[in-house]
């Protein structure tokens, strides 16, 4: 897909250099990162959004995370965004982000929660380890 015409002002601001840094600052300032670092505490964020999804702190968090996603969507045009791991375990977060993306994304995108569950990355790593172990054993037998 090609974008025609100017980008909406909110997206244009997010695409400027330093835009994503600002979004992370919001999460740090709101106390939603582990030890004030760059790792988002998704469980705390989900709890906040269950209490007040679109007011005050909850609205700022959805705007920050949604802003980062909108920037990536504008750049990559993925068609679908999949929430998995701890992000996918928080229905309030998924619902709030879905509403944000429907309003703000410059191209249509579907937001879905991973059907493979929160352990999908570990399941994939286990499966690959078994494949490599089998290949190694079979190469010795042949």
């Amino acid at each position: 897909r090609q974008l025609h015409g100017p980008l909406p002002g909110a997206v244009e601001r997010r695409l400027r250099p330093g835009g994503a840094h600002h979004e992370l600052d919001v999460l740090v300032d709101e106390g939603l990162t582990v030890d004030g670092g760059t790792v988002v505490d998704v469980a705390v964020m989900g709890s906040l959004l269950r209490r007040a999804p679109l007011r005050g702190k909850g609205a700022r968090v959805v705007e920050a995370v949604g802003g980062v996603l909108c920037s990536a969507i504008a750049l990559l045009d993925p068609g679908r965004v999949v929430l998995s791991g701890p992000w996918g375990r928080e229905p309030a977060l998924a619902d709030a982000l879905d509403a944000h993306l429907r309003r703000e994304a410059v191209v249509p995108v579907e937001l879905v929660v991973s059907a493979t569950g929160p352990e999908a990355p570990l399941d994939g790593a286990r499966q690959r380890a078994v494949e490599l172990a089998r290949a190694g054993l079979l190469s010795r037998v042949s």
Side-chain angles (χ1 to χ4, degrees):
R1 276 181 236 137
Q2 286 187 319
L3 299 176
H4 299 283
L7 295 174
V11 173
E12 185 177 292
R13 283 190 301 277
R14 283 194 286 273
L15 293 176
R16 288 185 192 139
H21 179 72
H22 170 70
E23 272 80 1
L24 180 59
D25 288 344
V26 169
L27 299 176
V28 171
D29 293 346
E30 297 295 349
L32 297 172
T33 59
V34 177
D35 297 328
T38 59
V39 176
V40 176
D41 191 331
V42 179
V44 171
M45 187 175 3
S47 175
L48 167 69
L49 293 173
R50 283 190 297 278
R51 289 190 313 267
L54 299 176
R55 295 188 316 266
K57 192 181 215 184
R60 288 189 297 277
V61 167
V62 170
E63 180 68 26
V65 175
V68 172
L69 288 176
C70 283
S71 294
I73 289 164
L75 179 66
L76 302 173
D77 189 12
R80 177 177 291 154
V81 172
V82 180
L83 294 180
S84 65
W87 294 86
R89 284 188 291 238
E90 294 294 340
L93 176 61
D95 292 344
L97 287 175
D98 185 49
H100 181 86
L101 294 179
R102 288 179 192 279
R103 275 190 326 272
E104 299 289 333
V106 294
V107 293
V109 65
E110 177 185 17
L111 184 124
V112 297
V113 174
S114 173
T116 58
E119 300 298 321
L122 292 176
D123 292 342
R126 283 185 206 107
Q127 181 178 350
R128 183 66 178 143
V130 168
E131 290 169 358
L132 291 172
R134 281 185 183 145
L137 289 171
L138 291 175
S139 70
R140 292 182 187 160
V141 172
S142 314

